[in-house]
Amino acid sequence: MSLFGLKFGRKKLKEEERQLQANNRDFNLQFEYANNSIKTSKYNFFTFLPLNLFEQFQRIANAYFLFLLILQLIPQISSLAWFTTVVPLVLVLAVSGVKDAIDDFNRHKSDKHVNNRPVQVLINGMLKDEKWMNVQVGDIIKLENNNFVTADLLLLSSSEPHSLTYIETAELDGETNLKVKQALTVTAELGEDLQKLTEFNGEVKCEAPNNKLDKFTGTLTLRGEKYALDNEKMLLRGCTIRNTEWCFGLVIYAGPDTKLMQNSGKTTFKRTSIDRLMNVLVLVIFAFLALMCLILAIGNGIWEYDKGYYFQVYLPWAEGVNSASYSGFLMFWSYVIILNTVVPISLYVSVEIIRLGNSFYIDWDRKMYYPLNDTPAQARTTTLNEELGQIKYIFSDKTGTLTQNIMCFNKCSINGKSYGDVYDMSGQRIEINENTEKVDFSYNQLADPKFAFYDHSLVEAVKLRDVPTHRFFRLLSLCHTVMPEEKKEGNLVYQAQSPDEGALVTAARNFGFVFRARTPETITVVEMGETKIYKLLAILDFNNVRKRMSVIVRSPEGDLTLYCKGADTILYELLHSSCDSLKEETTEHLNEFAGEGLRTLVVAYKNLDEDYFQDWIRRHHEASTALEGREDRLSELYEEIEKDLMLLGATAIEDKLQDGVPQTIETLAKANIKIWVLTGDKQETAMNIGYSCNLLNDDMEDVFIIEGSTPDDVLNELRNARKKMKPDSFLDSDEINIQFEKSSKKPKLIPDEQANGVYGLVITGHSLAYALEGNLELELVRTACMCKVVICCRVTPLQKAQVVELVKKYKKAVTLAIGDGANDVSMIKTAHIGVGISGQEGMQAVLSSDFSFAQFRYLQRLLLVHGRWSYIRMCKFLKYFFYKNFAFTLVHFWYGFFSGFSAQTVYDEWFITLYNLVYTSLPVLGMSLFDQDVDDRWSMLFPQLYVPGQQNLYFNKIVFVKCMMQGIYSSLILFFIPYGAMYNTMRSDGKAIADYQSFALMAQTCLLIVVSVQIGLDTSYWTVVNQFFIWGSLSVYFAITFTMYSDGMYLIFTASFPFIGTARNTLSQPNVWLAIFLSITLCVLPVVGFRFLKAQLKPTPSDKVLLKIKEAKKRPPPPSPKRRLRRTSTRRSGYAFSHQHGFGALIMSGRNMRPKSPFATTGTFSPNSDKHKHKGL
């Protein structure tokens, strides 16, 4: 792709199958595969002007003004100078164009940042640093630990045994646990030998680019042999290499063809609901304008026929006009030009300036700046601000958005005693914060310095060699699938396949049970400074049905023991009856842990009889080598041996939420915003986070779980849920049922339905796939939208976008999607507003977003403060703008009846030109940029103030009609009061002042003062700027008027300034000012009276809240209490364990083992250095 993104040549055919050769760019170039460059920008240097002008003239108003300009160039009908339209039109197009150019320039910068990332590419036998954008299909590239994967690669070889490569796929599916990929044996032999890699000429045939993240089919042909390729050998763009020194990969798909980008969805042109409403209103105004022009044209025809025909000597018809009807026809177009200000072109300039200004407020907001990684909030799009004040549905990712991707060992229960809480001298529990004293692990040279624990009693129990406590930590150091690595003495690194396991093994390490090394047959643990080697006899692997894992080990003393950890609901069924009393105590602790949102596991053990075990292991070997029913036979054997377990206790791990997440969710819920969590993570983990961040709670009537495996099952589950929430929704008389029985192809909007309580809904990915099809989508949207919270788990990036699209299709609501990973891009693009969180998972989400910041908690400020202010300001602006222009323009209409419908203007031409651009532009901009009904603190304290925006109460068709009626009323006053005051009037010196020019000056002066008083009434928050703009605009009006109507200007530009001396003659008369005062009073008094009576007799919910705030302002508000999450008394499992099935078998096979470390059994350790600290721990 060229610098400017231009692409010439024949149209590319749709790809059916991909064929490529390694290290052969010439061969691959013939297929014209996309290179690795991505492009999110819209324009380039050459296409900007034509494309931007094309987009701008798609606005009805802009096209209309171009049409007006053409009319004004026709002498027969033009009653105004051409510059009255050209100057504003050019200004509008220029301002909008500059703004669009700035937006696109920022997109170019973002694209450049990603495209210019460095990567090592094998070229001519050498590794060369290349930019991502220059990587092509068929290239071999080298990636190192913690690198982002550049493109979709076929893994060739790696530094790990058997060419295994560990990857984190958080950007693709939201999961933080490590996954393992393995290269083909034939390519693993290539290692890091550059000569062999250069000579590698394998040919790959595979499927065309698609968006299926979990499937890949292809073949590799090498030296005449064919090898099957599947997804287990692919590294996808968006993944991150972890715990792997280096790996080499062959580029299969690049840039837009990668599965990540295929899931990103199309970039759509987003427009706000106010934009769409304005287009409708502009059409209504056009119709109104046409009606007025038609009335005046008919009036002109009648007048010319009846009166004008008879005194043509005094007032001759224009050249070419030979009949009254033709005169009327020409007058129609003349009045179109004169009355065009009813749709002022400056409206669009002002809208763009207001949006730009409010965008800068977001960029400059220090309260949305995150100092830890120097990230300010950013409005990446400047056209959607007011939509932030109307959000009804938020669709959020979980991993990295609500959570930090960090697991911490927080609490535990051992032998009936709970550890982890801190108590003061009086026995009262105190809240842990940064000032709380940490446990000192300095006595343990092997401790991880980053591990923090606060309950000193647990360390004392370990030091006192309490048997259950030692057994508990021994279990944690043995029962797992973690891989240790020690390249040099003192640097112990854990390769945790799941972050939960990493946290548990690290906890055991700090408390004196250091997992140190493993082989396929042994596990080495340093127990309280003493090295012990346990024989690993079996791993009973984890899966989603068993929800537990066990290991069977033989201690150095010869004891056979089974250690097991898993979900409490499962393990409690397997316990020995002697554990009943301990089980009750542990259950109480589990309730507390789960109530605090912690992820819990129960741990248990069992001493095994030697003879029984020998018989069991023989049967286990037979089952594991059976050709049929292997899984079922192994499962039965696992069930058999995992019985009569002895309970040891429970662990509680905190999946650390981002700061302020529970409080933010609670505040947004008070603002009547519904939150849906869409995550690729598993159900237990998603629900656990749901409870910990206050989305789900035990006060809910019910939490429905939709997990049907057929369309009928899903339909029944959804209907049963809806029946419980609102039984009446199944009656034939139900409004929605009646609406959808009438067949229509166009999707109908579903009104909001109220459930009979507070409910939550959890739906799994495979059930969601059925629910998004055909008839089920209506059932899904009805049921889900009745719930306060919806959690969709195990969803693909495309499903996220489909869920957002579903709500947009059936609900008249504004949606917002927020995420931090590439798996969130499609929903961010689909929603009305897309928000990217910068930080945890790369920049992909930010690049596609409309707004970005570093922490989820800033969302409440973005919506409740900036969004609400932007919406209120825009609505006030539109109401005032339409009012002042109706009042201004309709005076011409009334004047037509007194001027023979001759298309003569009431005002001076210069006043018409400057009215919207100079005299009234700054006051309304001042209000639209600085006004606020309440400040940011009260906006956050009273989220209910946000609700009117969701219901679109501040500007809609009814409000527009009211503005129109007020404008018509004001125009009547502004015409007839000056007309009456001037009619047959004499000056104090006896001379007449009832001339056209004096009347024009009086009318325009009345108008300007009235609209200035009106904006004063509309302003809630007075600043120096507002005062300066209003008084300054009036001063400028009088200064310009006296200058333009002076003798000097007339002498210099006689034709352009005919109103000589009018200002000083007219404005010196007291009766003129009395008439101006009367006009102002009659225009403003009804508005003030109506607003007062409405607030007193029929206050809106917002009025009531504002009254509360006024009362509260008289006394300082109490500091908001810091609340702990409420503990629950209702039993529910807090189990969540992000583990991958099949990892136990991999360990027992030894395929992922390195050669034995020389430090594995002897010597001592020094604490870990930050350099080697595993990111997930």
Side-chain angles (χ1 to χ4, degrees), residues 767-818:
S767 301
L768 185 64
Y770 294 123
L772 289 169
E773 292 175 1
N775 298 330
L776 265 69
E777 68 172 21
L778 181 60
E779 194 64 51
L780 172 65
V781 81
R782 284 190 72 179
T783 305
C785 290
M786 274 195 237
C787 298
K788 184 183 177 188
V789 173
V790 177
I791 297 177
C792 303
C793 39
R794 285 288 186 213
V795 292
T796 64
L798 212 55
Q799 281 179 322
K800 289 185 177 187
Q802 287 171 330
V803 170
V804 177
E805 190 59 57
L806 183 70
V807 174
K808 282 175 68 179
K809 179 179 173 183
Y810 285 108
K811 287 287 179 182
K812 190 180 180 181
V814 180
T815 59
L816 179 146
I818 179 169

Side-chain angles (χ1 to χ4, degrees), residues 126-226:
M126 295 175 65
L127 284 173
K128 292 185 179 176
D129 283 335
E130 268 288 4
K131 294 174 181 176
W132 274 30
M133 61 193 249
N134 296 329
V135 172
Q136 295 186 11
V137 171
D139 287 353
I140 291 178
I141 64 174
K142 180 183 181 181
L143 297 173
E144 294 176 343
N145 195 29
N146 296 329
N147 280 175
F148 287 111
V149 177
T150 310
D152 288 357
L153 311 176
L154 171 65
L155 178 62
L156 297 177
S157 62
S158 85
S159 57
E160 300 304 294
H162 302 277
S163 276
L164 295 176
T165 298
Y166 298 92
I167 58 167
E168 187 181 278
T169 59
E171 282 211 21
L172 293 175
D173 56 19
E175 293 190 6
T176 51
N177 54 305
L178 299 184
K179 294 183 173 62
V180 183
K181 300 290 183 177
Q182 186 174 17
L184 285 168
T185 311
V186 69
T187 62
E189 295 165 357
L190 300 171
E192 57 180 334
D193 187 327
L194 297 186
Q195 184 62 36
K196 286 183 181 177
L197 286 162
T198 306
E199 291 168 0
F200 176 70
N201 62 352
E203 188 170 316
V204 174
K205 284 188 179 177
C206 61
E207 60 197 9
N210 59 67
N211 58 22
K212 294 174 183 171
L213 291 169
D214 55 349
K215 287 189 175 68
F216 176 78
T217 311
T219 58
L220 169 68
T221 306
L222 184 64
R223 295 189 287 272
E225 292 285 325
K226 274 193 176 182

Side-chain angles (χ1 to χ4, degrees), residues 320-334:
V321 177
N322 49 25
S323 69
S325 55
Y326 185 58
S327 173
F329 172 76
L330 291 178
M331 282 303 155
F332 176 86
W333 297 108
S334 296

Side-chain angles (χ1 to χ4, degrees), residues 958-1011:
I958 294 169
V959 172
F960 170 73
V961 170
K962 287 179 183 175
C963 294
M964 196 171 162
M965 299 308 294
Q966 186 190 352
I968 293 170
Y969 165 75
S970 294
S971 69
L972 281 165
I973 300 293
L974 292 169
F975 175 76
F976 285 104
I977 296 292
Y979 181 80
M982 284 285 177
Y983 193 71
N984 288 337
T985 305
M986 305 291 284
R987 281 179 15 170
S988 53
D989 60 2
K991 293 179 181 177
I993 60 168
D995 62 283
Y996 160 71
Q997 291 186 346
S998 298
F999 169 70
L1001 178 67
M1002 186 176 174
Q1004 65 196 40
T1005 305
C1006 281
L1007 169 72
L1008 200 61
I1009 296 175
V1010 164
V1011 296

Side-chain angles (χ1 to χ4, degrees), residues 471 474-475 478 534-535 537-538 550-555 558-564 604-609 613 641 648:
R471 192 172 280 146
R474 184 177 296 117
L475 182 148
L478 291 169
Y534 290 83
K535 286 188 179 176
L537 303 173
S550 302
V551 294
I552 300 173
V553 296
R554 191 189 298 277
S555 71
D559 298 327
L560 270 175
T561 312
L562 178 145
Y563 292 109
C564 181
Y605 76 101
K606 177 183 180 181
N607 291 321
L608 299 176
D609 176 69
F613 175 71
I641 201 167
L648 267 175

